């Protein structure tokens, strides 16, 4: 029914009832009684209306704490309509609060920084990534001018010029940031920051890798080309000299092959689409094979021992073979003749552990943290002499990373080195990286 009618009908009925009652009293008891009854009824009606007006006013003062009163007459309808309005309002408010919380959470998870500024560049809001990137603090800096907070001349020039079609590249606190400014409603502006430090680092690593790989390949190629030119220009070269040239060319060819194979192994290991497919790794078979290879590489120049006192593990046999044999072959290659090499597999409280201890040339402390970098060598000429590619420990690092294992290196110059691989039960990839990079 029309709400207006709901209001007017009972009011009209009540007034008509008072009019009829006082008319009847007038008729039977005279005008004084009739008018008095009418007046009393009207006063009672006004008192009731005042009471509900008072209740309404009290409720309007504290709508959250006071319960809406039950009404009488037209008030019932007014109160029930107010109740409905209030319920809708509460629902909208809850929805809005939930939406705002979701929006804030999404914004706080964004890897990119977002800063909202008003028309005069005062900070209205920023997310945690923007706090990290720009050194802002959302609660402390609210209402402050952004150009007073980000005191980079490049940034200030960018704001003054206002040419926002091109992003700004900003170097701030060891970070490289790409900054975009997007104007939106009422001349407000959104500032978006993207941290490009990691991309830059990867790009630099890629450039270094290509430069190093080209350099590594150029040396043997130059040697081979040189000998081929000699063979072409001097066909009557002495047989013994020719044989020695051929031997050197084969060595250089082998070096290039080792390098290409190591690069392919690294690329395969780094590929995220290529996770470890765990299988049972027979440690006895694996280490026996590696020991035989080490004996062959050593050619009897070293005393090599193998001790196995630990369980088999789950992992990739091929990858672990590559990692362990790299460590063992390094021990052979960097230990002068007559030295000792002890290969051990044992069980510890934290989990199984592989170690290779040699009595070789050792490594100075300042090199240890960098050994797993690609192409990093303590002594370049020694590594080349022993057919090293400079990629062995980088391969070890990746294999261990993929197996959740940790590499520890203990070494002293002239006293030998120990490379320990811990398959800690509780280790995570993050720990592994830290252990390797520290
Ligand atoms: P490379 O192919 O040159 O041996 P690696 O990545 O295997 O490359 O090793 C990196 C460097 O670490 C080596 O060039 C060498 O200087 C040093 N190194 C590795 N293992 C040993 C070791 N057992 N003793 C001494 N130095 C070592």
């Amino acid at each position: 029914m029309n709400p207006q009618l709901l209001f007017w009908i009972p009011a009209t009925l009540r007034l008509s009832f008072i009019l009829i009652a006082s008319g009847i009293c007038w008729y039977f008891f005279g005008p004084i009684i009739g008018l008095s009854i009418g007046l009393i009824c009207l006063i009672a009606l006004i008192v009731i209306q005042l009471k509900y007006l008072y209740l309404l006013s009290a409720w309007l003062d504290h709508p959250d704490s006071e319960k809406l009163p039950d009404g009488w007459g037209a008030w019932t309808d007014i109160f029930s309509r107010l109740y409905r309005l209030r319920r809708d309002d509460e629902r909208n408010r809850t929805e809005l609060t939930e939406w705002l919380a979701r929006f804030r959470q999404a914004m706080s998870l964004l890897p990119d920084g977002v800063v909202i500024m008003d028309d005069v560049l005062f900070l209205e809001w920023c997310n945690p990534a923007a706090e990290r990137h720009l050194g802002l603090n959302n609660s402390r800096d609210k209402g402050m001018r952004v150009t007073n907070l980000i005191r980079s001349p490049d940034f200030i020039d960018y704001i003054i010029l206002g040419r926002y079609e091109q992003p700004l590249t900003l170097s701030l606190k060891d970070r490289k940031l790409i900054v975009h400014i997007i104007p939106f409603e009422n001349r407000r502006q959104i500032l978006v920051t993207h941290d490009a430090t990691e991309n830059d680092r990867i790009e630099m690593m890629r450039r270094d890798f290509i430069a190093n790989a080209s350099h590594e390949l150029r040396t043997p190629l130059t040697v081979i080309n040189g000998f081929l030119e000699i063979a072409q220009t001097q066909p009557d070269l002495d047989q013994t000299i020719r044989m020695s040239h051929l031997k050197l060319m084969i060595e250089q060819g082998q070096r290039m092959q080792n390098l290409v194979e190591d690069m392919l192994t690294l690329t395969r290991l780094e590929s995220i689409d290529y996770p470890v497919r765990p299988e049972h790794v027979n440690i006895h078979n694996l280490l026996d094979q590696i020991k035989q290879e080490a004996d062959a590489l050593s050619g009897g120049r070293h005393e090599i021992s193998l001790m196995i006192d630990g369980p088999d593990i789950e992992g990739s046999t091929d990858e672990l073979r590559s990692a362990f044999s790299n460590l063992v072959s390094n021990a052979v290659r960097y230990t002068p003749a007559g030295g000792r090499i002890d290969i051990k597999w044992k069980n510890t409280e934290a989990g199984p552990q592989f170690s290779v201890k040699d009595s070789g040339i050792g490594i100075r402390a300042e090199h240890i943290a960098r050994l797993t970098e690609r192409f990093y060598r303590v002594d370049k000429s020694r590594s080349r002499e022993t057919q090293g590619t400079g990629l062995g420990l980088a391969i070890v690092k990746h294999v261990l990373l993929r197996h959740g294992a940790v590499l520890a290196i203990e070494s002293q110059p002239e006293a030998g080195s120990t490379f320990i691989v811990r398959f800690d039960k509780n280790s995570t990839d993050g720990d592994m990286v830290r252990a390797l990079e520290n």
Side-chain angles (χ1 to χ4, degrees), residues 330 333-334 358 363 371 376-378 383 388-390 392-393 417:
N330 277 354
R333 291 190 297 118
Y334 297 104
D358 66 54
I363 308 157
L371 290 184
Y376 188 84
R377 290 149 165 148
V378 175
S383 162
T389 61
L393 291 181
S417 317

Side-chain angles (χ1 to χ4, degrees), residues 57-186:
S57 149
W59 179 79
L60 283 174
D61 281 345
H62 306 283
D64 287 325
S65 50
E66 301 270 335
K67 194 175 161 294
L68 253 174
D70 294 328
W72 176 80
W75 288 103
T76 314
D77 181 49
I78 290 171
F79 285 142
S80 71
R81 272 197 274 164
L82 273 175
Y83 175 73
R84 271 201 305 276
L85 275 177
R86 180 155 168 66
R87 207 184 43 199
D88 289 353
D89 182 49
E90 260 170 16
R91 204 178 43 227
N92 288 344
R93 237 189 312 163
T94 315
E95 274 176 15
L96 204 66
T97 317
E98 280 173 8
W99 190 86
L100 205 66
R102 271 206 303 277
F103 173 77
R104 289 230 160 139
Q105 202 199 4
M107 281 291 186
S108 66
L109 293 175
L110 271 188
D112 287 349
V114 179
V115 180
I116 298 180
M117 304 176 287
D118 68 9
D119 53 336
V120 279
L121 301 175
F122 282 14
L123 187 136
E124 288 190 337
W125 181 84
C126 68
N127 70 348
E131 292 185 324
R132 281 195 306 276
H133 291 173
L134 302 165
L136 302 175
N137 182 314
N138 187 36
S139 35
R140 184 194 61 205
D141 299 334
K142 198 175 273 179
M144 289 176 74
R145 214 182 157 81
V146 171
T147 40
N148 291 340
L149 297 167
I150 307 166
R151 295 195 145 274
S152 151
D154 288 345
F155 178 71
I156 294 172
D157 287 351
Y158 183 66
I159 295 272
I160 291 170
L161 288 174
R163 292 208 198 105
Y164 299 147
E165 317 81 49
Q166 289 294 322
L168 165 74
T169 306
L170 196 63
S171 294
L172 217 62
K173 287 198 243 140
D174 300 335
R175 283 182 205 267
K176 187 178 162 193
L177 299 174
I178 310 291
V179 177
H180 286 268
I181 294 193
I182 307 152
F184 76 119
E185 52 135 47
N186 283 342

Side-chain angles (χ1 to χ4, degrees), residues 16 159 182-183 233 258 345 390 427:
S16 313
I159 295 272
I182 307 152
T233 51
N258 290 348
W345 176 261
S427 111

